[in-house]
Amino acid sequence: QFTGGAGPQWGGRYVLVPTLVLLCLGVVAVRDDPPVFRRFVFGLSVAVTIFGVVWLHERSHAVDEFFDDLADRPADVIISTNGFLVREAGPASDDRRYLSIGRGATIEGAADVAADAGLSTVGLLTSDSEPAELDADLVGSEQVAFLGVPLWYHFYELR
């Protein structure tokens, strides 16, 4: 169901070792500088770390709220045209069935999978404001936002 590489989720592991090396080099580089400069560099490092922790907290809660909202919708399955979107859900994805469309797949094919599984309703989460032409009845559409990015949620009843 998931497409592409895992860069958005796992890229940070490649930053850890270089960051530690740069930290050691930075400590050695500023050891002979005036104490005022060392305090400034230390304070700046603490400020950047605090900013990162606050950003992670806010982003994590915003993502959780978005997927809680999706879980409250009546669709039997949500089809996402973005292969990475559902990966952001983490454990929140346990409350709902999702299909992600990858390379070579189509919205129509995903809707067929849902119909073949005996499901009767589908939610389509996409960046396209125009509903897809499916073998289904469009019940409604609304714009939603994921971390400030506008998306469209189209709700269908399968025939």
Side-chain angles (χ1 to χ4, degrees):
Q1 292 184 9
F2 302 129
T3 62
Q9 287 74 30
W10 298 105
R13 66 182 170 187
Y14 301 114
V15 177
L16 184 58
V17 173
T19 300
L20 290 174
V21 170
L22 287 173
L23 172 68
C24 294
L25 292 173
V27 167
V28 169
V30 299
R31 74 174 175 208
D32 295 330
D33 287 333
V36 172
F37 181 74
R38 289 195 313 251
R39 284 189 210 107
F40 171 76
V41 170
F42 178 76
L44 184 62
S45 299
V46 170
V48 168
T49 300
I50 290 171
F51 177 80
V53 169
V54 169
W55 174 81
L56 178 62
H57 176 269
E58 291 298 317
R59 184 182 188 284
S60 297
H61 282 81
V63 169
D64 193 49
E65 288 173 15
F66 178 80
F67 282 97
D68 282 348
D69 179 55
L70 285 183
D72 291 340
R73 294 173 184 266
D76 294 327
V77 64
I78 294 178
I79 299 169
S80 172
T81 57
N82 181 324
F84 284 107
L85 184 66
V86 178
R87 295 178 110 172
E88 295 284 344
S93 65
D94 295 342
D95 297 334
R96 154 123 1 255
R97 290 183 183 124
Y98 291 94
L99 286 174
S100 295
I101 299 175
R103 292 181 212 114
T106 64
I107 296 169
E108 296 80 9
D112 290 344
V113 168
D116 291 346
L119 304 177
S120 59
T121 57
V122 168
L124 174 62
L125 196 57
T126 181
S127 58
D128 192 358
S129 63
E130 292 297 317
E133 295 292 327
L134 301 176
D135 188 22
D137 297 318
L138 178 67
V139 176
S141 296
E142 69 176 295
Q143 189 175 30
V144 296
F146 178 71
L147 300 175
V149 176
L151 298 173
W152 284 88
Y153 180 84
H154 306 292
F155 182 67
Y156 300 86
E157 290 181 355
L158 299 173
R159 294 184 194 139

